Amino acid sequence: MPSATAPPDADSTACVLDLEGIGALVRVLRARGRTVIGPTERDGAIVLTEIESADELPYGWGVELEAGHYRTRRRTDSAAFAHSAGPQSWKNFLHPERVRQWTADRAPDGGMTVRAEHPEPTSFAFLGVRPCDLRAIRIQDRVMIGGRHKDDAYEERRTGAFLIVVECTEPGATCFCVSMGTGPAAQPGYDLALTEVVDEAGHRFLARAGTEEGTEVLAALPRRPADATTAASAREAVEDAAGRMGRTMPEVDLRALLSGTLEAERWNDVAARCLTCGNCTMACPTCFCTTSEDITDLTGDHAERWRRWESCYDLEFTHLPGGSVRGSGRSRYRQWLTHKLGTWWDQFDSSGCVGCGRCIVWCPVGIDITQEAHALHHEALHHEALDRQAERKDETP
């Protein structure tokens, strides 16, 4: 959510933090009553979890990504944020996978007591938000609290969340944020932005504030003025990352492409591979669909309603009295892709894809959203060429 006050000029707040400054950042945020969530290496993955110290950051860890493939690997330097998006996103904290909404208990006299669930609000500080994930948070804001029907639970978690963006200097093989206009440089919406620099001059971070609170936090840290060498190194590292994206989207109007290829043969090809498992929707930082689940104990005297994530790949997702609206895997994959890249614009005035590549990595059969978009584009071009050829034949005397 935007700051209540005018954001400061980021350049005017630019300074350099060393590793001591990053350690102090975590301490200061915790002292301000915030729960700090950041990346750490655990169980062979870079995961997001509550951290109590900057020592828990994944210093010296990188990742190896491909379609259907994820591995952590040791780096030759001590960079803390030189890794691409992991299996989780910040959606896991702002829009949790499973939330209890109410409980009901029946008393011995038959009376019923229903209690709405009102968990204590958490004041989050997210450390290590990627620019693509910052855009994803903004998209979720638009979906959850930007319209007439607000999600109060989301708004409560999101309000006041402190966002520390770390610009990308090491894109993964499945990243395509440049194609989606979401990175690798930080865009407005952050409280603090960091760019990590590790070179012969040392390990340090170029830091800028994006809000008044960000300026206050920065002022409480050990820091030094931004020097020209660090600023240039940070800028060059981000620019270099933009030129090393592992994937691209076709340079066309994706909304028009998807709306014009609903009967493409390519859907049959992907349907033959897709397991309709829903992994892509679970890993996606913008997918937001939920369903309600009621449970009870064996006595029948206690019941609970839970809200949990749902996927458009679930056969029951569109179930009506006459059956499921989308009975085939082909139609369900097509729904997901056309919504993500196309009809999301009609609903929310933006794309639903931020180019993080998680759906590619965590697909068990390695289906690649960028490959599918290129294939649909090539098929559309082929049909256009055939149509032009047919027109020329008709015009031949």
Side-chain angles (χ1 to χ4, degrees), residues 143-161:
V143 172
M144 301 293 188
I145 54 180
R148 289 185 301 140
H149 306 289
K150 292 186 178 182
D151 184 322
D152 293 336
Y154 178 91
E155 186 171 26
E156 192 170 75
R157 296 185 194 95
R158 178 68 177 93
T159 300

Side-chain angles (χ1 to χ4, degrees), residues 21 25 38 81 90 94 118 126 155 163-164 193 219-220 222 231 246 263 276 293 301-302 325 328 348 359 384:
L25 174 60
F81 299 102
W90 307 98
L94 295 174
H118 293 296
F126 293 156
E155 186 171 26
L163 307 183
I164 306 160
E263 300 304 322
T276 66
E293 180 180 56
D301 292 332
H302 177 81
V325 172
S328 67
F348 307 115
C359 61
E384 289 174 7

